């Protein structure tokens, strides 16, 4: 059975407040989209929006966590009041499906196919190993080095909400030395020290700068479709995020994310299709 009341927020952190979903007296679901989670120019981050949708899906599910989300971004959602319509699909003892539509004052903005289940922290039979990343202490913060961002790009509010420490191995672009491959890697956590959970991983799965930046192609890359798979409950601490593009052509890019928790376990993956920076 769906939960009768919204689950209590994990904390009063900025993330929990910004992704809160409430039920009205008439039974509908609503949220207030926070402008502080933008990626430049007032455009809200796709991962943040998907976390709001994931909360609604969990609220209407007998299961506790989002495990597979497939989102189509119909247009840029505006900050402010939003409604969420959850249409239940097949459900069983181990998982449930639903379709969720997020609409702002103008109309539908994000359509999502959601699967919920109950995740564990059990040891995996196999887990893709964490890459040899630069230690956290030797990485540098985007928020604390805003001057390193391309002059044509405004510093997004997301970088003040999600603390991002870029790995120098894949951040030559920030020092005027772009690399040859569209690969980015960084350590991430919430700036207010809120610990990661499945909803946080959904936001982290779209938190890095666009991968074309790694080869010197700057500008924003609006997400068109985004799929996120949450594989396990993450351990407390920093997560390592790696994003990689396979091809940048014809005005389009793809991005594959992998996320490891502080123990080195793969806890989430994502793939998205986006418009290439102009």
């Amino acid at each position: 059975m769906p939960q009768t009341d919204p689950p209590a927020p994990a904390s009063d952190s900025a993330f929990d407040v910004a992704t809160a979903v409430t039920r009205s007296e008439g039974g509908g679901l609503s949220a207030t989209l926070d402008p502080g989670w933008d990626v430049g120019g007032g455009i809200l981050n796709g991962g943040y929006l998907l976390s709001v949708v994931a909360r609604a899906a969990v609220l209407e599910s007998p299961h506790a966590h989002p495990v597979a989300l497939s989102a189509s971004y119909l247009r840029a959602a505006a900050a402010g009041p939003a409604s969420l319509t959850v249409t239940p699909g097949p459900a069983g003892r181990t998982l449930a499906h639903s379709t969720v539509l997020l609409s702002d004052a103008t109309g539908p903005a994000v359509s999502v196919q959601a699967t919920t289940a109950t995740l564990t922290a059990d040891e995996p039979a196999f887990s893709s190993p964490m890459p040899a990343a630069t230690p956290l202490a030797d990485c540098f913060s985007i928020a604390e080095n805003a001057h390193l961002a391309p002059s044509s790009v405004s510093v997004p509010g997301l970088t003040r909400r999600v603390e991002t420490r870029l790995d120098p191995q894949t951040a030559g672009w920030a020092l005027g030395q772009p690399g040859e491959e569209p690969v980015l890697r960084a350590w991430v956590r919430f700036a207010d020290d809120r610990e990661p959970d499945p909803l946080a991983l959904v936001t982290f799965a779209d938190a890095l700068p666009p991968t074309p930046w790694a080869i010197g192609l700057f500008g924003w890359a609006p997400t068109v479709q985004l799929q996120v798979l949450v594989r396990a409950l993450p351990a407390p601490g920093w997560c390592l995020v790696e994003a990689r593009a396979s091809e940048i052509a014809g005005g389009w890019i793809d991005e594959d994310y992998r996320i490891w928790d502080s123990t080195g376990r793969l806890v989430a993956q994502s793939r998205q299709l986006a418009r290439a920076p102009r």
Side-chain angles (χ1 to χ4, degrees):
M1 294 291 293
Q3 302 174 45
T4 56
D5 295 298
S11 68
D12 60 355
S13 76
F15 176 73
D16 292 306
V17 172
T19 59
V21 174
T22 58
R23 195 188 300 279
S24 66
E25 292 184 1
L29 300 179
S30 63
T32 300
L33 304 180
D34 189 331
W37 296 76
D38 73 287
V39 290
I43 299 173
L44 294 174
N45 172 258
Y48 159 68
L49 292 172
L50 193 52
S51 290
V52 176
V53 170
R55 276 199 191 275
V58 168
L59 179 57
E60 296 287 53
S61 170
H63 303 291
H65 306 122
V67 297
L69 302 165
S70 182
S72 293
Y73 294 83
L74 311 178
R75 58 179 179 78
S83 63
L84 297 115
T85 303
V86 180
T87 303
R93 290 186 301 171
T94 59
L95 57 86
H97 300 287
S98 64
T99 301
V100 187
L101 183 66
L102 183 151
S103 302
D104 61 12
T106 303
V110 186
S111 177
V112 179
Q113 298 292 321
T115 300
T116 56
T118 300
L119 294 165
T120 72
D122 296 344
E123 286 296 317
F126 173 80
S127 183
S128 182
M130 178 186 287
T134 301
L136 177 65
D138 297 322
C139 296
F140 58 91
S141 165
I142 291 181
E144 294 173 2
N145 295 274
H147 63 284
L148 296 177
S151 58
S152 60
V153 177
S154 58
V155 177
L158 181 70
T159 63
R160 292 185 283 272
R161 306 293 190 181
V162 178
E163 187 172 359
T164 305
R165 300 289 181 88
L166 296 171
D167 185 337
Q169 296 181 64
T170 61
W173 56 268
L175 305 173
Q177 300 174 341
E180 296 182 356
E181 289 188 273
V183 179
L184 295 174
R185 193 161 50 240
W187 297 94
V188 303
R189 69 173 180 181
F190 286 120
D192 58 11
D193 296 331
R194 180 196 187 278
E195 296 293 358
D197 65 2
L199 287 170
L201 295 176
V202 174
T203 289
F204 293 170
D206 186 35
L208 300 190
T211 49
W213 288 22
I215 59 173
L217 300 177
F218 300 117
W220 291 119
T223 301
V224 177
Q225 291 189 321
L226 173 62
Q227 180 187 44
V228 178
L229 305 178
V230 181
R231 310 304 303 275
L233 295 175
W238 290 82
C239 292
L240 180 69
V241 180
E242 183 179 82
R244 182 182 299 269
S246 300
E247 183 170 81
I248 304 170
W252 298 92
I253 62 171
D254 60 87
E255 289 189 342
D256 288 298
Y257 271 62
R258 292 187 296 171
I259 303 175
W260 294 265
D261 68 9
S262 59
T263 70
R265 179 177 182 176
L266 183 73
V267 289
Q269 300 161 268
S270 75
R271 164 165 280 192
Q272 73 170 276
L273 177 70
R275 295 297 295 172
R278 296 180 180 178

